[in-house]
mmCIF file of all heavy atoms in Angstrom:
data_model
loop_
_atom_site.group_PDB
_atom_site.id
_atom_site.type_symbol
_atom_site.label_atom_id
_atom_site.label_comp_id
_atom_site.label_asym_id
_atom_site.label_seq_id
_atom_site.Cartn_x
_atom_site.Cartn_y
_atom_site.Cartn_z
ATOM 1 N N TYR A 204 80.587 -56.520 104.362
ATOM 2 C CA TYR A 204 81.937 -56.691 104.870
ATOM 3 C C TYR A 204 82.846 -57.058 103.705
ATOM 4 O O TYR A 204 82.450 -57.791 102.805
ATOM 5 C CB TYR A 204 81.991 -57.813 105.912
ATOM 6 C CG TYR A 204 81.164 -57.550 107.144
ATOM 7 C CD1 TYR A 204 79.814 -57.883 107.175
ATOM 8 C CD2 TYR A 204 81.735 -56.985 108.277
ATOM 9 C CE1 TYR A 204 79.051 -57.645 108.314
ATOM 10 C CE2 TYR A 204 80.977 -56.753 109.423
ATOM 11 C CZ TYR A 204 79.634 -57.091 109.424
ATOM 12 O OH TYR A 204 78.892 -56.859 110.543
ATOM 13 N N GLU A 205 84.055 -56.562 103.765
ATOM 14 C CA GLU A 205 85.043 -56.974 102.766
ATOM 15 C C GLU A 205 85.994 -57.974 103.412
ATOM 16 O O GLU A 205 86.454 -57.763 104.536
ATOM 17 C CB GLU A 205 85.845 -55.782 102.240
ATOM 18 C CG GLU A 205 86.839 -56.187 101.152
ATOM 19 C CD GLU A 205 87.541 -55.004 100.526
ATOM 20 O OE1 GLU A 205 88.479 -54.490 101.165
ATOM 21 O OE2 GLU A 205 87.157 -54.599 99.413
ATOM 22 N N TYR A 206 86.256 -59.062 102.690
ATOM 23 C CA TYR A 206 87.119 -60.113 103.207
ATOM 24 C C TYR A 206 88.261 -60.386 102.239
ATOM 25 O O TYR A 206 88.106 -60.261 101.022
ATOM 26 C CB TYR A 206 86.324 -61.410 103.401
ATOM 27 C CG TYR A 206 85.263 -61.320 104.459
ATOM 28 C CD1 TYR A 206 83.924 -61.123 104.112
ATOM 29 C CD2 TYR A 206 85.590 -61.431 105.808
ATOM 30 C CE1 TYR A 206 82.943 -61.039 105.090
ATOM 31 C CE2 TYR A 206 84.604 -61.352 106.785
ATOM 32 C CZ TYR A 206 83.293 -61.158 106.419
ATOM 33 O OH TYR A 206 82.324 -61.073 107.388
ATOM 34 N N ARG A 207 89.371 -60.772 102.811
ATOM 35 C CA ARG A 207 90.488 -61.282 102.021
ATOM 36 C C ARG A 207 90.812 -62.678 102.532
ATOM 37 O O ARG A 207 91.134 -62.858 103.710
ATOM 38 C CB ARG A 207 91.718 -60.385 102.151
ATOM 39 C CG ARG A 207 92.898 -60.858 101.306
ATOM 40 C CD ARG A 207 94.112 -59.988 101.534
ATOM 41 N NE ARG A 207 95.262 -60.460 100.757
ATOM 42 C CZ ARG A 207 96.515 -60.398 101.168
ATOM 43 N NH1 ARG A 207 96.793 -59.875 102.355
ATOM 44 N NH2 ARG A 207 97.490 -60.833 100.417
ATOM 45 N N THR A 284 89.751 -61.509 97.249
ATOM 46 C CA THR A 284 89.042 -60.476 98.005
ATOM 47 C C THR A 284 87.584 -60.505 97.570
ATOM 48 O O THR A 284 87.290 -60.522 96.376
ATOM 49 C CB THR A 284 89.644 -59.092 97.753
ATOM 50 O OG1 THR A 284 91.017 -59.097 98.173
ATOM 51 C CG2 THR A 284 88.892 -58.025 98.532
ATOM 52 N N PHE A 285 86.675 -60.521 98.556
ATOM 53 C CA PHE A 285 85.257 -60.565 98.226
ATOM 54 C C PHE A 285 84.455 -59.812 99.271
ATOM 55 O O PHE A 285 84.951 -59.507 100.365
ATOM 56 C CB PHE A 285 84.758 -62.014 98.123
ATOM 57 C CG PHE A 285 84.803 -62.797 99.408
ATOM 58 C CD1 PHE A 285 83.680 -62.866 100.241
ATOM 59 C CD2 PHE A 285 85.944 -63.492 99.790
ATOM 60 C CE1 PHE A 285 83.702 -63.587 101.426
ATOM 61 C CE2 PHE A 285 85.978 -64.216 100.969
ATOM 62 C CZ PHE A 285 84.863 -64.277 101.785
ATOM 63 N N SER A 289 77.531 -61.298 105.484
ATOM 64 C CA SER A 289 77.726 -62.113 106.680
ATOM 65 C C SER A 289 78.927 -61.624 107.486
ATOM 66 O O SER A 289 80.003 -61.388 106.937
ATOM 67 C CB SER A 289 77.939 -63.580 106.291
ATOM 68 O OG SER A 289 78.263 -64.355 107.436
ATOM 69 N N SER A 290 78.736 -61.485 108.801
ATOM 70 C CA SER A 290 79.845 -61.122 109.685
ATOM 71 C C SER A 290 80.621 -62.347 110.137
ATOM 72 O O SER A 290 81.685 -62.218 110.748
ATOM 73 C CB SER A 290 79.317 -60.368 110.909
ATOM 74 O OG SER A 290 78.416 -61.192 111.652
ATOM 75 N N PRO A 292 81.551 -65.409 107.972
ATOM 76 C CA PRO A 292 81.494 -66.156 106.712
ATOM 77 C C PRO A 292 81.928 -67.610 106.882
ATOM 78 O O PRO A 292 82.811 -67.927 107.674
ATOM 79 C CB PRO A 292 82.466 -65.400 105.809
ATOM 80 C CG PRO A 292 83.439 -64.777 106.755
ATOM 81 C CD PRO A 292 82.624 -64.401 107.954
ATOM 82 N N MET A 343 91.825 -65.273 107.056
ATOM 83 C CA MET A 343 90.738 -64.393 106.647
ATOM 84 C C MET A 343 90.904 -63.042 107.341
ATOM 85 O O MET A 343 91.104 -62.973 108.551
ATOM 86 C CB MET A 343 89.386 -64.995 107.020
ATOM 87 C CG MET A 343 88.195 -64.193 106.523
ATOM 88 S SD MET A 343 87.799 -64.497 104.794
ATOM 89 C CE MET A 343 86.813 -66.007 104.978
ATOM 90 N N THR A 344 90.829 -61.971 106.552
ATOM 91 C CA THR A 344 90.871 -60.612 107.081
ATOM 92 C C THR A 344 89.539 -59.941 106.794
ATOM 93 O O THR A 344 89.044 -59.973 105.668
ATOM 94 C CB THR A 344 92.009 -59.806 106.441
ATOM 95 O OG1 THR A 344 93.251 -60.485 106.666
ATOM 96 C CG2 THR A 344 92.091 -58.407 107.048
ATOM 97 N N GLN A 345 88.954 -59.317 107.812
ATOM 98 C CA GLN A 345 87.630 -58.708 107.690
ATOM 99 C C GLN A 345 87.716 -57.203 107.904
ATOM 100 O O GLN A 345 88.340 -56.725 108.847
ATOM 101 C CB GLN A 345 86.685 -59.304 108.736
ATOM 102 C CG GLN A 345 85.273 -58.722 108.724
ATOM 103 C CD GLN A 345 84.505 -59.079 109.987
ATOM 104 O OE1 GLN A 345 84.826 -58.597 111.076
ATOM 105 N NE2 GLN A 345 83.499 -59.935 109.845
#
Side-chain angles (χ1 to χ4, degrees):
Y204 297 86
E205 182 174 78
Y206 294 100
R207 182 183 178 215
T284 299
F285 65 94
S289 174
S290 61
M343 185 81 83
T344 303
Q345 179 195 69

